[in-house]
C-alpha cells in the first residue's frame, strides 16, 4: 500500500534523520514526510537529539503507524471500481471523505497550526486545502486511483485522470466539489489575484508538496512572534530537502539571532553572505553588517 524504495526513513533515527532519509528516497513517501513534520511539531518527539533513544524511536514509530493505518482503513472503505473514469473516482472520494467522514475546511482552520499537521487533520477531519488534499491523495493512491496534486496559487486541489488528457479537478477543502475551468479561474483569482495558466495545472511532486506544507507552517509562525520556535524547525526541515530556496539559510540565521543565539546566528549570516557575494555583492555586505551587529550584542 505504501510508496517508497527500500529504507525510506521510517525505521530508526530521530525525526530529522528519518525526514532526511525519506526526502532522499528514490520515491519519496508524501504521507511519511507529512507525518514526520507532525512528529517534529510534537515537543515529545521532535528536535535534534544527540543520543539514540530507543523509547523515542518507538514513540515516533507509533505516531507514524497510527496515521498510516488510518489512511489504509479509509482506502479500504472505498467501494471497488476498477472501471471508474476520472469523474467517477472524484465522486467516490467525495462521497467517502467529504460526505461520510466529513473531511473539509473552514476559514477558522487557517488560524490553527493543527491544520498543517497530517496526524491532526486525520483526527479532526479539518485542515488547510493542502493537507486535506494529502489525505485525498493518499487514500486515492492506496485504492489505485489515477490521482495527483495540483498546487494552484493560494489553494491546493487534486486531479484525477491524465493531466494531459481526460481529467477532473476536485477541491477537498469544499468536501470534494468538482471544479470546471471557470471554477478554477475564479478560485485562483480569489485566493491569489493571479490569472490561471497551464503551468499552474501541472502535477505537484511529493517534495514540492512537502515544501509547501512547511512554507505554510513558516507563514503561520511568522505572524505569531511567540512561535519563533515553530518557524525555526519549519525552516530547518525545509533545509533538509534536496532542493530548497537558498534564502532559507538567511531566514534561519535571522531566527537564531532573534532567539538569542548571537554567535550561531552571526556565523550563519557570514556563511550566507559568502554564498551570495559573487551574485549579489551589495546584499552580501548588508548581511555581513547584520552579522557584526549580532556579534556586538555579545558584549
Amino acid at each position: 500500500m505504501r510508496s517508497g524504495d527500500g529504507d525510506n526513513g521510517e525505521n530508526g533515527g530521530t525525526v530529522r534523520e528519518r525526514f532526511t532519509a525519506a526526502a532522499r528516497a528514490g520515491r519519496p513517501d508524501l504521507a511519511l514526510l507529512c507525518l514526520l513534520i507532525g512528529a517534529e511539531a510534537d515537543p515529545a518527539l521532535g528536535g535534534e537529539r544527540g543520543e539514540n533513544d530507543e523509547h523515542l524511536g518507538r514513540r515516533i514509530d507509533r505516531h507514524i503507524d497510527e496515521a498510516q493505518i488510518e489512511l489504509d482503513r479509509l482506502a479500504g472503505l472505498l467501494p471497488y471500481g476498477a472501471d471508474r473514469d476520472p469523474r467517477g473516482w472524484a465522486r467516490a472520494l467525495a462521497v467517502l471523505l467529504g460526505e461520510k467522514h466529513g473531511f473539509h475546511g473552514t476559514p477558522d482552520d487557517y488560524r490553527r497550526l493543527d491544520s498543517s499537521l497530517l496526524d491532526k487533520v486525520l483526527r479532526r477531519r479539518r485542515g488547510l486545502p493542502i493537507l486535506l488534499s494529502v489525505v485525498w491523495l493518499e487514500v486515492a493512491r492506496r485504492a489505485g486511483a489515477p490521482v495527483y496534486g495540483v498546487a494552484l496559487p493560494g489553494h491546493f486541489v487534486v486531479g484525477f485522470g491524465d493531466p494531459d488528457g481526460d481529467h477532473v479537478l476536485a477541491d477537498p477543502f469544499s468536501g470534494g466539489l468538482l471544479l470546471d475551468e471557470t471554477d478554477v479561474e475564479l478560485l485562483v483569482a480569489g485566493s491569489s489575484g493571479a490569472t490561471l495558466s497551464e503551468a499552474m495545472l501541472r502535477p505537484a511532486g511529493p517534495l514540492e508538496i512537502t515544501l509547501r506544507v512547511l512554507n505554510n507552517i513558516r507563514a503561520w509562525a511568522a505572524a505569531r512572534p511567540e512561535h519563533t520556535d515553530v518557524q525555526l524547525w519549519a525552516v530547518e526541515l525545509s533545509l533538509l530537502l534536496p532542493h530548497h530556496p537558498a534564502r532559507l539559510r538567511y531566514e534561519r540565521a535571522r531566527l537564531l539571532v532573534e532567539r538569542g543565539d548571537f554567535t550561531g546566528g552571526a556565523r550563519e549570516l557570514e556563511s550566507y553572505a559568502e554564498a551570495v557575494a559573487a551574485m549579489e555583492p551589495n546584499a552580501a555586505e548588508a548581511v555581513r553588517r547584520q552579522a557584526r551587529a549580532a556579534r556586538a550584542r555579545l558584549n
Side-chain angles (χ1 to χ4, degrees):
M1 288 276 196
R2 302 175 194 175
S3 64
D5 289 337
D7 182 4
N8 61 7
E10 191 171 350
N11 299 312
T14 66
V15 169
R16 296 190 185 192
E17 289 168 345
R18 297 180 190 214
F19 186 87
T20 301
R24 286 163 172 73
R27 294 169 56 200
D29 184 327
L30 175 60
L32 176 59
L33 287 163
C34 289
L35 290 169
L36 288 168
I37 291 172
E40 182 70 18
D42 186 337
L45 301 178
E48 296 183 13
R49 290 171 171 80
E51 58 182 299
N52 183 14
D53 184 335
E54 183 178 344
H55 297 294
L56 172 64
R58 285 201 291 267
R59 292 199 302 272
I60 295 172
D61 290 340
R62 187 162 56 249
H63 167 91
I64 293 169
D65 289 345
E66 287 174 354
Q68 295 275 30
I69 289 168
E70 176 62 6
L71 290 168
D72 290 344
R73 185 188 74 84
L74 289 169
L77 296 175
L78 195 66
Y80 179 75
D83 59 346
R84 288 194 185 101
D85 61 11
R87 184 172 292 271
W89 276 112
R91 182 57 187 156
L93 267 292
V95 169
L96 175 68
L97 297 179
E99 295 178 15
K100 292 185 177 179
H101 286 83
F103 283 94
H104 71 287
T106 71
D108 285 346
D109 293 310
Y110 284 88
R111 295 192 281 270
R112 298 178 61 117
L113 176 60
D114 284 359
S115 299
S116 289
L117 307 176
L118 180 55
D119 59 306
K120 301 293 195 301
V121 171
L122 282 169
R123 283 200 289 270
R124 296 178 58 239
R125 294 183 163 84
R126 298 270 295 278
L128 296 187
I130 190 168
L131 266 298
L132 291 165
S133 293
V134 169
V135 174
W136 273 57
L137 289 168
E138 289 299 311
V139 171
R141 179 183 63 77
R142 284 163 165 77
V147 65
Y148 57 95
V150 181
L152 297 175
H155 199 96
F156 204 99
V157 298
V158 296
F160 291 89
D162 179 358
D164 297 314
D166 183 25
H167 68 272
V168 65
L169 300 183
D171 181 10
F173 192 75
S174 298
L177 178 70
L178 296 186
L179 305 170
D180 61 23
E181 185 174 351
T182 300
D183 294 328
V184 178
E185 289 174 348
L186 291 173
L187 189 60
V188 171
S191 60
S192 68
T195 300
L196 181 65
S197 69
E198 282 296 320
M200 295 177 185
L201 298 172
R202 302 309 305 164
L207 298 182
E208 179 185 348
I209 296 171
T210 301
L211 181 59
R212 184 154 164 169
V213 170
L214 289 167
N215 287 344
N216 286 340
I217 294 172
R218 288 170 47 230
W220 178 90
R224 296 163 175 81
E226 70 276 17
H227 287 297
T228 57
D229 58 328
V230 174
Q231 190 177 358
L232 180 60
W233 65 248
V235 169
E236 291 178 339
L237 285 186
S238 300
L239 289 169
L240 295 176
L241 295 171
H243 305 289
H244 53 262
R247 193 167 175 80
L248 287 177
R249 293 175 56 190
Y250 172 75
E251 184 175 335
R252 180 177 186 274
R254 183 185 58 78
L255 285 167
L256 290 175
V257 172
E258 186 177 337
R259 291 173 58 79
D261 184 357
F262 303 126
T263 300
R267 186 166 54 245
E268 292 289 328
L269 286 167
E270 289 161 350
S271 176
Y272 178 74
E274 186 66 24
V276 302
M279 298 293 294
E280 302 177 68
N282 292 336
E285 183 52 38
V287 173
R288 290 190 186 99
R289 287 196 295 270
Q290 292 179 44
R292 290 193 291 270
R295 291 190 186 281
R297 294 175 69 176
L298 291 167
N299 300 328

